[in-house]
Amino acid sequence: MGFFDGLLGARAVDFDSGGTGNAIELTKRHQTVSLSKQGAATGHLRVNLTWRMRSSDFGMRRPSLLRHPLKALKPPEIQGHGQSMVNVDLDLGCLYELTDGTKGVVQPLGDYLGDVNAAPYIKISGDDRFGSGSGETMYINLDHRESIKRVLVFVYIYDQTPAFDRTHAIVTLYPSSGPRLEISLDERHPQARSCAVLLIENVKGELMVRREVKFVYGFQAELDRLYGWGLQWGRGYKTKA
């Protein structure tokens, strides 16, 4: 099976929403969870990236708490913002390896959007360039879990401007049933351009999710070397919005 097999000819599909229960936060102390043991290893696993700019990035002064005491209850991130205020474009993607040895990437860059009904059984939907409320979403078809060996979900900054220290990003996994899983990218790495967020592995038939949160100063090729994927990389570009 070729590198780009399954990336063309994808057809529309109704995805399960799932994961409406409580959240489980994956942290340094609690890094792993078994989807199989939670009965959540079937259906479409929805992976969502959302982010907000930190207010300090815009030089905003905090209002006086004496005049506005309720302001202390508001978070330091801006809840909404327009295109003119944002110059950070976070993208969601993944490296995948199937049990037959096929390896590849699913990401907006280069329009490698994947296919949820055929190999690699992963599809990314949309490219949020301005950090809107819906963010970016990827679907993994766990009904084909026996064909999936490992999936490395990553976040990268397309415009090459290191800005992870100016954003508050969260990657959330919504299984077809059970609680959602949340991973926050709150560590300050001002020069990093990419982050390996989580690894999904098929371990003897059991689907495991492990928090990674490893920031690197390069792009996908550096993540590839870090995890031993062995792909060949070239310069990619986005189409204009």
Side-chain angles (χ1 to χ4, degrees):
M1 188 175 293
F3 179 86
F4 299 112
D5 288 351
L7 297 185
L8 301 177
R11 57 186 183 275
V13 63
D14 293 329
F15 294 109
D16 302 328
S17 56
T20 57
N22 295 328
I24 297 176
E25 184 179 4
L26 297 185
T27 64
K28 289 182 178 180
R29 295 187 61 184
H30 304 284
Q31 297 183 347
T32 62
V33 65
S34 170
L35 293 178
S36 299
K37 290 182 178 179
Q38 295 196 31
T42 60
H44 293 103
L45 175 64
R46 179 160 58 99
V47 183
N48 181 247
L49 164 68
T50 56
W51 74 92
R52 294 175 291 187
M53 300 299 296
R54 300 180 189 272
S55 59
S56 59
D57 184 46
F58 304 111
M60 296 180 63
R61 297 178 60 185
R62 298 289 288 174
S64 171
L65 298 183
L66 295 178
R67 293 184 178 182
H68 307 282
L70 294 181
K71 295 292 185 180
L73 302 178
K74 292 189 176 182
E77 292 82 22
I78 295 176
Q79 300 296 327
H81 43 71
Q83 179 177 354
S84 61
M85 298 178 65
V86 179
N87 60 356
V88 178
D89 180 11
L90 297 186
D91 279 325
L92 180 68
C94 77
L95 294 170
Y96 64 83
E97 181 178 0
L98 304 183
T99 54
D100 66 359
T102 302
K103 299 178 182 180
V105 63
V106 174
Q107 62 181 20
L109 189 62
D111 290 329
Y112 300 134
L113 303 181
D115 192 329
V116 78
N117 296 306
Y121 310 109
I122 304 169
K123 183 176 178 62
I124 195 163
S125 176
D127 178 15
D128 176 15
R129 302 191 181 185
F130 309 118
S132 67
S134 60
E136 295 193 358
T137 302
M138 177 188 301
Y139 298 92
I140 304 175
N141 189 347
L142 298 184
D143 289 336
H144 294 273
R145 59 192 177 278
E146 71 281 353
S147 298
I148 299 173
K149 182 177 181 180
R150 58 175 179 160
V151 177
L152 178 69
V153 176
F154 60 83
V155 174
Y156 63 99
I157 300 176
Y158 168 70
D159 63 6
Q160 301 187 37
T161 303
F164 276 110
D165 63 326
R166 294 190 282 124
T167 61
H168 173 69
I170 297 178
V171 173
T172 306
L173 278 65
Y174 297 88
S176 58
S177 62
R180 65 186 185 274
L181 308 177
E182 293 184 349
I183 300 177
S184 297
L185 307 183
D186 280 341
E187 299 177 20
R188 295 298 185 99
H189 291 267
Q191 299 303 316
R193 290 180 169 89
S194 305
C195 178
V197 180
L198 63 97
L199 186 67
I200 301 172
E201 284 189 292
N202 189 333
V203 182
K204 297 181 179 179
E206 182 177 1
L207 279 185
M208 302 294 298
V209 177
R210 185 175 76 233
R211 177 189 184 273
E212 297 291 320
V213 189
K214 295 181 179 179
F215 290 87
V216 299
Y217 300 115
F219 296 98
Q220 292 89 327
E222 188 165 342
L223 293 174
D224 181 310
R225 288 191 294 270
L226 184 62
Y227 287 88
W229 238 266
L231 301 179
Q232 297 295 321
W233 295 92
R235 179 62 176 165
Y237 299 92
K238 285 187 180 182
T239 57
K240 293 184 178 180

